[in-house]
């Protein structure tokens, strides 16, 4: 299983012969705008919530790849108005796809589509595929609901760490204890001034807490 980072919260997971793209925000990101979004060709696009920095390239990439979108029911309805048939889910529900299972879990945030339409509740995902269990938290605050994942034996967690709009580093470290997972990929930082972090200090904090933290460079890939 391979994960590639495309900036902000956008990642691609390749598993069981399928490509899963999460929260596509690439072309409006100055650091990532050189990336040809139409070359990504995901099989699935998973959307945690409706904010522009998570869906800016959703429609364009879906149209060029014919990817199946997995999202909260309200976003699926919104996509239907753009002639895109999505797989709508809701918090606590799971579904078996050809690459494995997806469970939608709670996130504490807000969610409105770029045009002002209702985006339903924000969400995270647990991916069960290739013998691995991966938690993609989406945009979220630290919440006791994370403790529900404690006995999942997660292999990796993708957590926001930029503060201001989501958890910061200190709360993300607490989250690793709630979910019982010490392998973390940090996302949702440095894209905008209000979510800039000191990488060295942040890494030091995670390491002192016994967490294997990865802050990936743009387009960097790792094996999970």
């Amino acid at each position: 299983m391979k994960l590639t980072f495309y900036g902000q919260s956008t990642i691609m997971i390749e598993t069981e012969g399928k490509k899963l793209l999460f929260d596509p925000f690439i072309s409006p990101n100055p650091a990532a705008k050189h990336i040809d979004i139409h070359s990504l060709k995901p099989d699935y696009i998973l959307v945690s919530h409706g904010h522009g920095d998570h869906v800016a390239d959703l429609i364009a990439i879906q149209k060029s790849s014919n990817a199946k979108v997995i999202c909260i029911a309200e976003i699926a309805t919104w996509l239907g108005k753009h002639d895109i048939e999505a797989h709508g889910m809701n918090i606590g529900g799971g579904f078996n796809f050809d690459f494995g299972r997806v469970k939608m879990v709670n996130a504490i945030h807000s969610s409105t589509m770029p045009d002002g339409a209702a985006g339903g509740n924000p969400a995270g995902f647990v991916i069960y595929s290739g013998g691995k269990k991966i938690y993609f938290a989406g945009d979220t605050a630290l919440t006791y609901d994370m403790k529900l994942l404690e006995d999942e034996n997660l292999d990796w967690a993708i957590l926001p760490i930029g503060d201001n709009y989501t958890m910061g580093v200190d709360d993300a470290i607490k989250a690793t204890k709630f979910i019982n997972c010490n392998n973390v990929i940090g996302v949702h930082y440095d894209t905008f001034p209000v979510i800039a972090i000191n990488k060295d200090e942040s890494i030091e904090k995670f390491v002192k807490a016994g967490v294997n933290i990865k802050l990936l460079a743009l387009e960097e890939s790792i094996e999970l």
Side-chain angles (χ1 to χ4, degrees), residues 107-130:
I108 304 297
H109 195 59
S110 57
S111 181
T112 305
M113 306 311 297
D115 62 3
N121 292 325
F125 299 100
V126 180
I127 310 298
Y128 307 83
S129 181

Side-chain angles (χ1 to χ4, degrees), residues 35-100:
I35 296 171
D36 177 10
I37 61 172
H38 301 296
S39 69
L40 298 176
K41 302 296 184 185
D43 298 287
Y44 293 87
I45 304 173
L46 290 86
V47 178
S48 68
H49 66 291
H51 290 162
D53 60 320
H54 295 258
V55 302
D57 292 316
L58 170 58
I59 291 175
I61 294 175
Q62 194 284 328
K63 295 289 188 182
S64 67
S65 65
N66 200 33
K68 173 68 74 175
V69 180
I70 302 172
C71 57
I72 197 84
E74 289 82 356
I75 294 179
T77 299
W78 181 82
L79 285 169
K81 297 176 182 178
H82 294 271
D83 298 319
I84 295 172
E85 183 179 350
H87 182 99
M89 300 183 68
N90 220 314
I91 307 299
F95 192 83
N96 296 324
F97 296 90
D98 56 2
F99 60 85

Side-chain angles (χ1 to χ4, degrees), residues 121-160:
N121 292 325
F125 299 100
V126 180
I127 310 298
Y128 307 83
S129 181
K132 303 279 188 181
K133 298 176 184 178
I134 312 298
Y135 172 44
F136 181 85
D139 277 13
T140 188
L142 179 69
T143 168
Y144 264 95
D145 282 358
M146 292 174 175
K147 284 183 171 286
L148 296 171
L149 303 179
E150 186 176 11
D151 61 356
E152 287 280 2
N153 296 314
L154 297 169
D155 294 286
W156 284 87
I158 296 96
L159 303 179

Side-chain angles (χ1 to χ4, degrees), residues 147-223:
K147 284 183 171 286
L148 296 171
L149 303 179
E150 186 176 11
D151 61 356
E152 287 280 2
N153 296 314
L154 297 169
D155 294 286
W156 284 87
I158 296 96
L159 303 179
I161 62 170
D163 215 352
N164 194 71
Y165 298 118
T166 68
M167 296 188 292
V169 169
D170 293 339
D171 278 354
I173 290 170
K174 291 179 183 177
T176 67
K177 311 309 177 188
F178 285 6
I179 63 177
N180 189 30
C181 180
N182 287 325
N183 294 318
V184 172
I185 296 167
V187 296
H188 208 275
Y189 66 91
D190 280 359
T191 312
F192 313 111
V194 293
I195 58 172
I197 66 169
N198 183 309
K199 286 186 179 180
D200 291 339
E201 288 183 3
S202 299
I203 291 170
E204 183 179 1
K205 284 184 175 183
F206 276 107
V207 170
K208 282 185 177 179
V211 177
N212 173 31
I213 180 68
K214 301 294 184 186
L215 302 183
L216 302 179
L218 193 70
E219 298 184 87
E220 182 180 356
S221 298
I222 62 168
E223 293 293 328

Side-chain angles (χ1 to χ4, degrees), residues 20-32:
L20 285 56
L21 183 66
F22 291 73
D23 285 0
F25 174 77
I26 298 172
S27 56
N29 182 352

